[in-house]
Amino acid sequence: MAQKNTSDILRQLRQLMVNTKHVAVKLDAYIVPGEDAHQSEYIAACDKRISFVSGFTGSRGLAGISHNAAALWTDGRYFVQARNQMDENWELMKEGLKGTPTLEAWLTTVVSSGGNVGIDSRLISSGLRN
């Protein structure tokens, strides 16, 4: 599988993150869930946000994007696929392996204290909200 070049997508997203015409406050990071608004097991092509932003087409993923970094969390079923599909803009976070930071821990390294993190609240499960 060919890697998707995500440089332009990430550049455009990062511009939107600080454009107060599109966000209420400037964002230091943005979370992209792999789920759709209905938490469906199989999601429609138009809802595959992870694939759009990172190139990763697996069914399990969660992305975090800051102004200087982008990371994708997935489980062991998809480590090889994710590495092959994501370009150099992305860091693969291998869930379940010792030393892999959680999204929350990663955010503390890329967002300053008091910073703003955005997410589409229609797309998050109750587990992520806690």
Side-chain angles (χ1 to χ4, degrees):
M1 297 179 179
Q3 290 182 338
K4 176 178 181 175
N5 183 327
T6 62
S7 297
D8 285 340
I9 292 168
L10 290 172
R11 181 184 49 76
Q12 291 172 26
L13 177 59
R14 288 170 173 143
Q15 288 173 347
L16 289 171
M17 288 166 52
V18 296
N19 185 334
T20 54
K21 289 182 181 178
H22 300 286
V23 293
V25 296
K26 292 181 179 182
L27 301 176
D28 299 294
Y30 189 73
I31 299 169
V32 182
E35 295 82 20
D36 67 5
H38 308 286
Q39 303 299 305
S40 303
E41 182 176 356
Y42 302 104
I43 61 175
C46 62
D47 289 323
K48 293 185 177 182
R49 293 164 184 85
I50 295 285
S51 177
F52 175 77
V53 76
S54 72
F56 172 62
T57 61
S59 64
R60 171 69 181 94
L62 175 67
I65 300 160
S66 72
H67 293 291
N68 299 310
L72 179 119
W73 284 258
T74 194
D75 63 38
R77 297 172 293 168
Y78 298 110
F79 292 168
V80 172
Q81 179 182 345
R83 185 66 280 142
N84 289 336
Q85 291 180 327
M86 294 187 309
D87 67 11
E88 69 281 351
N89 292 306
W90 290 87
E91 181 178 2
L92 174 59
M93 298 296 189
K94 298 178 176 180
E95 288 180 335
L97 295 186
K98 187 176 182 176
T100 300
T102 62
L103 171 65
E104 295 83 358
W106 180 82
L107 286 169
T108 66
T109 67
V110 298
V111 176
S112 300
S113 179
N116 298 303
V117 178
I119 189 168
D120 185 338
S121 62
R122 299 170 300 160
L123 305 176
I124 59 174
S125 66
S126 61
L128 188 58
R129 290 181 189 155
N130 297 332

